Every structure is written in C-alpha cells, then in structure tokens.
Amino acid sequence: MTLTTSALISVGDRTAGAARALAPLLAEAGIALPGGSALAGAIAAELLTPPIPGATRTGIAWSTTRPVTPDDTVLADVLVTRVADGTVDRHVRLLDETGTVREHGTETWRLDDPTAAPARPELDFCTAAWGELLRARLDEDAEFASSLSSWDGTIGLRCDDRELHLRIYKGRIVDVTRRTPHGATFTFVAPAHLWAEVVLAERDDFMRRAIGGEFSSSGDGYEYLRLTKPLNIVIAHARALAQEVRP
C-alpha cells in the first residue's frame, strides 16, 4: 500500500494503516458486540480510519462481501474519491491478512473550511465541467476521430450517481450533456474509487482491468465491445487531465 500526504485534501490521497487483530481492537475501545453482529466490520473501519481534520462525517454507505469476525486481523485502506462543494468522499476498504477485501464503504465528510479541499474539475469525474475539458482534448486527437469516423451515437460515462453523455457524429463530439434525448448507445460504468485508481495509476492498466471484469456497462453491449479502442482513448485523456493536477 502507498501513503500519500498533502497539505490540501485531493482526489487520489491514500492511506493504509497497520493491521490489527479485531478482538483486542474492540476491547481497547470498550466495545462489546453480540456474537454474529453485522456491525463488527463497520466499527473496525471507523476505529482504524483517521478522521479528516476540520470536518464532520455526515454519511456512510457500507457493504459486506464476507463479514469479518472478532478472530480476524484486518487493516483499513482509505482513498479520497471526490472533493466538491465543501465535501469529501472517501472509499474505505477493510482487508484481511490475505489482502482480500472483506467489507467496504463510502464516507462523506463536510469541511468546516471548504478552502481546505479546493475542487478540481479535472478530478471530478463524469461532471459537465470534466466533460468539457475532456472534449477539448478529444477534439484534437486524430486517432479518436478516425476510430469513430463512420459512427453516429452516444457514449455514456458513469461514476456512482453522476452520468455524462458524449454525443458523437462521424468522429466529432457534437454535444456534452448529462442526458441525451434517446439515451446513450452504451454507458461505461465504474464506481468512484475505480475511476480514481485508473486515472491516477502510474501505468495505464485500463484494458487489463476491463478484461478482468472490473467495470460494467449498460445499453448496447455489442457496441460497448466494438468500441473498445475509442473508449480506451477517452480513458487515456481522462488520465492526462488528472495527471495535469496530480503529476
């Protein structure tokens, strides 16, 4: 795991603490849970995860793949996935000794001072401002235009509850919008933590992860598979945008 520190909070900041045995961790905090409690993982994650200074946690969504038990040894891996409008979203993974993700969730924090985490449109995936920055780069890419030279359709890009549509006609993006009248031909779908990992990774491993089934799609599955090349170009430009502000 890597540890990223910054004077200002930014998408891509990552922390990973030391592994702890769950039973003594709970005992040190004075917490006694009934046998088989489904709360053990979420409580362990909170105990192992440092709070954001000068911020209040306002929400959490938690999911379980395989519940942890008091006999497990776990560590928390935390990734900042969004900074916008004075709020910070963090994705928290609870891993066991084998590196398997047992439970995970997304926290939302509201900052007392929004200037402590300025929003960067280059890192606010699938928003309108991000889409316009992406279009400016794609308009200059001859390979992208060539790969869609005979295509008429809409590529959707989704990050959690945010969706962006790129309306394309014969290799040219003619509109960037939250919704098109007839919907997207297909939509590329990934949660915020995968967007952050892919665009900020040292190596471009988008295709490897796509082949491994880490992403999903909706709409026309045939077109999604057929247009792998232009989609790969879109992600490459998303990486370039992100790395302009986080080299």
Side-chain angles (χ1 to χ4, degrees):
M1 300 292 179
T2 58
L3 173 64
T4 303
T5 59
S6 175
L8 298 175
I9 301 167
S10 178
V11 172
D13 287 352
R14 187 164 219 156
T15 58
R20 291 289 308 275
L22 186 53
L25 176 68
L26 296 174
E28 288 170 16
I31 298 171
L33 295 174
S37 172
L39 299 176
I43 292 173
E46 184 171 355
L47 294 173
L48 292 169
T49 303
I52 296 177
T56 302
R57 188 168 68 173
T58 58
I60 183 169
W62 195 254
S63 299
T64 298
T65 302
R66 184 160 59 92
V68 300
T69 71
D71 296 327
D72 286 315
T73 294
V74 294
L75 66 82
D77 174 73
V78 185
L79 176 67
V80 175
T81 57
R82 194 181 191 205
V83 176
D85 302 322
T87 64
V88 177
D89 289 346
R90 303 195 304 184
H91 185 252
V92 181
R93 303 187 305 163
L94 202 61
L95 296 85
D96 62 23
E97 290 180 292
T98 69
T100 300
V101 178
R102 300 282 292 275
E103 305 190 30
H104 64 95
T106 299
E107 303 174 329
T108 299
W109 295 73
R110 178 157 291 280
L111 297 161
D112 298 334
D113 176 12
T115 63
R120 299 275 196 175
E122 297 89 348
L123 295 168
D124 203 3
F125 316 120
C126 300
T127 60
W130 177 83
E132 290 296 345
L133 292 173
L134 192 63
R135 170 160 65 174
R137 295 188 62 94
L138 291 168
D139 280 348
E140 301 298 321
D141 191 321
E143 186 178 9
F144 177 76
S146 175
S147 69
L148 293 168
S149 61
S150 61
W151 197 66
D152 179 7
T154 300
I155 295 176
L157 304 169
R158 186 184 305 159
C159 174
D160 291 346
D161 61 350
R162 304 184 299 280
E163 186 168 328
L164 184 76
H165 287 181
L166 305 178
R167 178 77 179 90
I168 298 168
Y169 180 70
K170 293 186 177 180
R172 180 172 174 268
I173 299 175
V174 295
D175 196 15
V176 176
T177 180
R178 296 299 301 274
R179 289 289 187 274
T180 47
H182 301 291
T185 307
F186 69 86
T187 301
F188 169 78
V189 182
H193 68 276
L194 284 183
W195 273 101
E197 289 177 354
V198 166
V199 303
L200 292 170
E202 292 184 8
R203 294 186 304 106
D204 184 351
D205 63 351
F206 168 69
M207 288 304 299
R208 178 188 65 80
R209 300 182 79 151
I211 292 170
E214 294 190 44
F215 313 114
S216 60
S217 70
S218 62
D220 190 327
Y222 170 76
E223 288 292 84
Y224 171 66
L225 293 174
R226 191 173 72 86
L227 298 183
T228 298
K229 180 178 179 179
L231 182 58
N232 190 35
I233 295 171
V234 169
I235 298 301
H237 282 286
R239 282 174 50 78
L241 274 177
Q243 292 173 19
E244 288 176 1
V245 293
R246 282 211 59 146

